[in-house]
Amino acid sequence: MTAFTLSVADGIARLVLDLPGEPVNKITRTVRDELEALLTTLGRDAAVRAVVLLSGKPDTFIAGADIDEFVALRSREEAYTFVRSGQALINRIPELGKPVVAAIHGACLGGGLEAALACTYRVATEHEKTTLGLPEVQLGIIPAAGGCQRLPRLVGLRTALDMILAGKVLPARQAYRRGIVDELVHPAILERVGVDAALRLAGGWRPTRATGGLKGLLLDGNPAGRALVLSLARKQVLRKTGGHYPAPFDALDAVEHGLRHGVAVGLEREARHFADLAVGEVSRTLVGIFFATTALKKDLGGAEDVAPRAIGRLGILGAGFMGSGIGGTAVAQAGVDVRFRDTGLVAVAKGLGAAHRIVDDRLKRKRITKYEHRRMTALLSGGTDWSGFRRADLVIEAVFEDLAVKHRVFRELEAQVGEECILASNTSTIPITRIAGVLRRPERMLGMHFFSPVEKMPLLEVIVTAQTAPWVTATAVHFGRRLGKTVVVVRDETGFWVNRILAPYLNEAGRLVTEGVTIEAIDGCMKRYGFPVGPITLLDEVGLDVGLKSSHVLHEAFGDRMAPVAGLEALVRAGRLGRKTGRGFYRYDGGRRRGVDPSVRELLGVTGPAPAAEIEDRLVYAMLNEAALALDAGVVRSPRDGDIAAIFGIGFPPFRGGPLRTIDRLGATRVVDRLRRLASHYGPRYTPAPVLVRQAEQGSCFYPNT
Ligand code: NAD
């Protein structure tokens, strides 16, 4: 044996999994083969009365199946055989004829949790590293080693669906509350408690589990209740996925089928769905995104050979909307000391309040303890002077979007901080090089472009200039990652990546409105394409004033292709800035959207209604073409970075894999033809990017190897 060690004492076998040469335990071919052999031995050994399954890794129980093995599956048949043999192995745990206890510390996910569910009893540590879940749908597949059968039987249909359909991962305490875990213990006594439970089980004791009360009986425990739960779940999945992701529907079917016809038939259904999904395009795309984000986590933006420096103290200039979001997130995620500076005490107090709310929210969601909450709160401070800035390791500026203001602020700032302090701007549109022009040491300056709301949006663009020193880049990337962000390093060109590819798309949406196409048709079309919200809703959320300002800057840099829509100015002049003023394209009341505002058409001078033709092509191709142009200009370092940033920064539909992947799928020839047709109808802004024309001529693409 290489992965498992077995020891037996007092009739209890301790089976410790510690996969050699890997930081985490995962279910590989070796693990499967060894477990198979061990279960045979244990079943035959009369001296063994019960088994405890443990992990030898510091922070994982079993992180899941080996994704590399799953990706290597080439055909439906191969996938079916693969998953059926996995099921057979897991089935051997309950068929052992002896109780098995899973003693869980660290991540217990996917196939790891499915193995644990097949055990008789589950003890887990109450530790932040201990998490349990079935995240398969996030990779476009379903739990198919019995998860769709055993979880609903253990915790009831509603709880099981809630976890499986969203691919939720729960902290140990929540898993305990939901009945997935039987006992919660301190890590120091995990093994002892596991062995005790095994001894009791061997002696004939069986745990009694809660049934979920009357509600559980009505909804989980009888066919009529279950039918209702399943039909509601199906509707919810359809609403959330727009029908673009088959896995949650298949999981629902596998669960339902198993409840109707029994575990064995349910398992067969699970396997068939898995086989279809595993070799399907959606799963392949989602797995590609998973690999890309994993690779990005190890990437220091081209500065791999320098060590990132530690950031302990963070200064923030401007405690407004973005500054407070960055500060609150930094405290909650990285536990750094945060000092705000703003021009007035009222602004400082408001910013501190907003940052506190982010930390409070963590407590409310039980992500942190009361003690941690107090400690984090104590790390937030602010004022109108420079106190606290001298010792800062990094200062992020988030004052008004105005070059003169930024220049003034950075000049003052450089005189206040230490020589080794990194200076960053959160500007959305101003080239960092221009801001850095006033610095004595511009090599320590870069952009850290967060997205709003900072605590929720997963992307951070780190913008490097020609002068930025590698250690500065490495440190900013590393720090961004500590904040829980996916970090993409971007070159300092106007609009950077995200706002640049977004601008022609949003402009075109505005143009469609001015032409008379209804707002509902535009937003509806892009939601159907797979975006979380339509472009007009997005404009309202971002703020029409912010959007307009940004499009002027891009227009100046890139010319007519980025010309803003004339009508937008009228809306901004009328004080209709979007959600924040209660009126934009839509009306808002008490934070809720109340439908399209009919007076928009008047303000924009819209005449008759226009047919809703070509909305999708006009919007999507504007973004695809710009992405090709920006990549060709070297704004991002690779198609991978560009696609990930579009997915995490804009919500580009993940199942499409990003704008550049979409171009590859369509084929450059088709994209160029389409762009030319659009250009002849709507104007030269659709002139195909030279790189696309080249690709069409040469038959090449952005991702040649996949
Ligand atoms: P905001 O108006 O909410 O906040 C700006 C804050 O800066 C205000 O509290 C103001 O009092 C303060 N301030 C102004 N001059 C100052 C000075 N000299 N010293 C200290 N504080 C000063 O604006 P915001 O939306 O937070 O935007 C801030 C920056 O972030 C801008 O550069 C903007 O382009 C960028 N940004 C905004 C968003 C967004 O969605 N709002 C997204 C990404 C980036």
Side-chain angles (χ1 to χ4, degrees):
M1 295 290 155
T2 56
F4 285 95
T5 36
L6 173 66
S7 59
V8 183
D10 304 325
I12 306 299
R14 288 176 183 75
L15 205 50
V16 181
L17 174 60
D18 190 349
L19 193 62
E22 293 283 349
V24 298
N25 281 332
K26 49 192 177 181
I27 307 179
T28 60
R29 163 110 257 150
T30 314
V31 170
R32 287 200 305 274
D33 290 348
E34 289 190 14
L35 185 60
E36 176 102 51
L38 279 164
L39 288 171
T40 307
T41 315
L42 291 168
R44 287 196 192 130
D45 190 343
V48 171
R49 297 163 58 219
V51 181
V52 182
L53 180 59
L54 291 141
S55 159
K57 299 288 183 208
D59 292 326
T60 21
F61 177 68
I62 303 172
D66 185 353
I67 297 187
D68 291 328
E69 277 185 20
F70 144 63
V71 170
L73 297 170
R74 283 286 151 247
S75 69
R76 213 197 147 271
E77 294 67 36
E78 210 185 317
Y80 182 79
T81 314
F82 171 82
V83 75
R84 281 304 258 177
S85 77
Q87 289 181 345
L89 176 63
I90 301 274
N91 282 348
R92 293 200 54 193
I93 299 174
E95 287 162 5
L96 188 67
K98 298 172 187 186
V100 183
V101 174
I104 304 160
H105 173 73
C108 174
L109 306 174
L113 179 56
E114 291 179 294
L117 289 171
C119 294
T120 328
Y121 195 76
R122 283 154 295 279
V123 186
T125 58
E126 187 168 9
H127 189 277
E128 58 172 9
K129 298 274 184 195
T130 303
T131 53
L132 297 95
L134 296 172
E136 282 85 347
V137 293
Q138 290 176 12
L139 294 180
I141 50 173
I142 62 169
C148 292
Q149 310 307 317
R150 294 196 175 93
L151 192 60
R153 282 174 175 76
L154 180 69
V155 297
L157 182 60
R158 286 166 303 150
T159 304
L161 290 183
D162 182 46
M163 286 189 70
I164 294 171
L165 300 182
K168 262 188 201 163
V169 172
L170 304 178
R173 212 177 317 159
Q174 279 187 36
Y176 171 69
R177 243 183 264 130
R178 293 180 180 212
I180 300 164
V181 165
D182 293 295
E183 213 171 330
L184 213 51
V185 298
H186 189 276
I189 55 166
L190 175 68
E191 184 169 344
R192 213 185 67 215
V193 174
V195 170
D196 281 352
L199 279 167
R200 270 180 292 145
L201 288 160
W205 169 80
R206 289 292 173 268
T208 44
R209 293 184 171 119
T211 54
L214 181 62
K215 217 167 159 191
L217 198 69
L218 290 176
L219 293 173
D220 298 334
N222 79 79
R226 288 205 291 259
L228 178 69
V229 172
L230 287 161
S231 113
L232 286 175
R234 195 160 278 124
K235 278 193 196 127
Q236 199 183 4
V237 168
L238 188 62
R239 209 173 41 240
K240 280 205 175 141
T241 64
H244 292 300
Y245 299 84
F249 293 100
D250 288 353
L252 261 172
D253 182 61
V255 169
E256 182 175 17
H257 205 68
L259 288 175
R260 261 210 203 134
H261 305 285
V263 175
V265 179
L267 284 172
E268 210 278 324
R269 189 53 80 97
E270 262 183 43
R272 269 203 279 144
H273 282 313
F274 174 88
D276 288 337
L277 293 167
V279 294
E281 192 167 278
V282 173
S283 173
R284 293 278 137 131
T285 308
L286 295 181
V287 170
I289 294 170
F290 172 79
F291 282 139
T293 40
T294 310
L296 266 175
K297 283 189 188 131
K298 295 179 193 137
D299 188 316
L300 285 179
E304 269 65 31
D305 44 350
V306 285
R309 297 192 189 167
I311 303 290
R313 283 169 192 277
L314 173 66
I316 294 184
L317 288 177
F321 180 58
M322 293 303 286
S324 59
I326 298 167
T329 307
V331 162
Q333 291 281 347
V336 293
D337 200 312
V338 172
R339 178 78 189 174
F340 290 107
R341 179 177 193 266
D342 207 302
T343 45
L345 279 173
V346 175
V348 173
K350 257 176 89 175
L352 279 170
H356 278 149
R357 278 193 292 281
I358 294 174
V359 182
D360 293 349
D361 188 59
R362 292 282 153 108
L363 180 66
K364 235 184 272 157
R365 289 168 187 273
K366 300 203 166 62
R367 295 285 153 154
I368 52 172
T369 61
K370 276 191 191 146
Y371 167 75
E372 284 167 321
H373 178 261
R374 269 202 298 275
R375 193 176 58 83
M376 286 176 181
T377 308
L379 288 169
L380 287 164
S381 68
T384 53
D385 58 17
W386 289 104
S387 59
F389 277 74
R390 180 148 304 280
R391 286 184 303 153
D393 305 305
L394 164 69
V395 175
I396 302 176
E397 166 276 316
V399 304
F400 301 138
E401 187 74 341
D402 177 317
L403 184 62
V405 176
K406 301 226 192 242
H407 272 166
R408 206 170 53 238
V409 163
F410 272 96
R411 253 194 227 105
E412 265 186 77
L413 173 66
E414 200 177 29
Q416 298 295 332
V417 293
E419 284 296 297
E420 298 296 291
C421 176
I422 296 177
L423 310 181
S425 173
N426 180 49
T427 175
S428 343
T429 49
I430 307 174
I432 305 299
T433 313
R434 276 169 77 182
I435 304 177
V438 296
L439 293 180
R440 215 168 17 83
R441 294 188 54 208
E443 68 275 15
R444 57 156 135 178
M445 166 104 195
L446 42 57
M448 289 180 81
H449 184 214
F450 290 86
F451 296 81
S452 76
V454 179
E455 67 280 20
K456 294 215 176 91
M457 288 296 283
L459 184 72
L460 168 66
E461 282 183 313
V462 164
I463 300 124
V464 297
T465 72
Q467 290 165 303
T468 308
W471 72 267
V472 175
T473 308
T475 306
V477 170
H478 186 255
F479 183 63
R481 222 166 271 149
R482 275 177 68 201
L483 303 195
K485 304 299 174 201
T486 295
V487 187
V488 170
V489 173
V490 178
R491 220 175 66 184
D492 186 28
E493 286 214 17
T494 309
F496 316 127
W497 173 260
V498 167
N499 285 348
R500 173 159 170 191
I501 67 170
L502 196 55
Y505 167 82
L506 292 180
N507 282 341
E508 200 61 24
R511 218 167 271 130
L512 282 161
V513 180
T514 8
E515 285 171 20
V517 180
T518 66
I519 286 168
E520 292 91 335
I522 299 166
D523 273 354
C525 178
M526 283 300 99
K527 277 194 78 173
R528 280 192 299 281
Y529 185 79
F531 280 94
V533 297
I536 305 292
T537 303
L538 187 60
L539 268 170
D540 265 5
E541 295 294 332
V542 168
L544 269 53
D545 53 335
V546 175
L548 188 66
K549 208 165 173 179
S550 161
S551 53
H552 281 311
V553 176
L554 287 154
H555 186 199
E556 200 186 303
F558 298 108
D560 286 348
R561 188 173 85 241
M562 296 275 197
V565 189
L568 214 56
E569 205 108 28
L571 289 178
V572 172
R573 264 201 313 273
R576 308 172 60 134
L577 308 184
R579 182 188 279 279
K580 60 186 170 192
T581 53
R583 269 181 136 187
F585 287 97
Y586 292 92
R587 284 176 298 125
Y588 303 84
D589 188 10
R592 299 194 57 170
R593 203 165 82 181
R594 304 281 178 203
V596 167
D597 193 329
S599 61
V600 167
R601 292 167 68 85
E602 227 167 87
L603 276 163
L604 291 178
V606 176
T607 45
E614 295 201 299
I615 302 176
E616 182 181 308
D617 277 3
R618 284 178 65 178
L619 293 173
V620 171
Y621 279 81
M623 188 184 281
L624 299 186
N625 201 32
E626 197 58 41
L629 284 162
L631 175 72
D632 204 32
V635 174
V636 282
R637 289 174 306 143
S638 63
R640 173 200 75 183
D641 286 11
D643 279 340
I644 292 295
I647 291 168
F648 289 150
I650 300 172
F652 194 93
F655 72 96
R656 296 185 188 275
L660 301 160
R661 176 75 71 181
T662 301
I663 294 175
D664 271 10
R665 289 246 165 87
L666 292 164
T669 309
R670 204 167 132 198
V671 174
V672 168
D673 284 352
R674 195 82 195 116
L675 282 166
R676 285 195 175 129
R677 227 180 62 75
L678 288 166
S680 71
H681 271 72
Y682 302 103
R685 62 183 180 279
Y686 283 106
T687 306
V691 61
L692 294 176
V693 177
R694 268 197 320 272
Q695 285 188 352
E697 281 163 7
Q698 296 163 359
S700 57
C701 60
F702 291 114
Y703 294 91
N705 300 320
T706 45

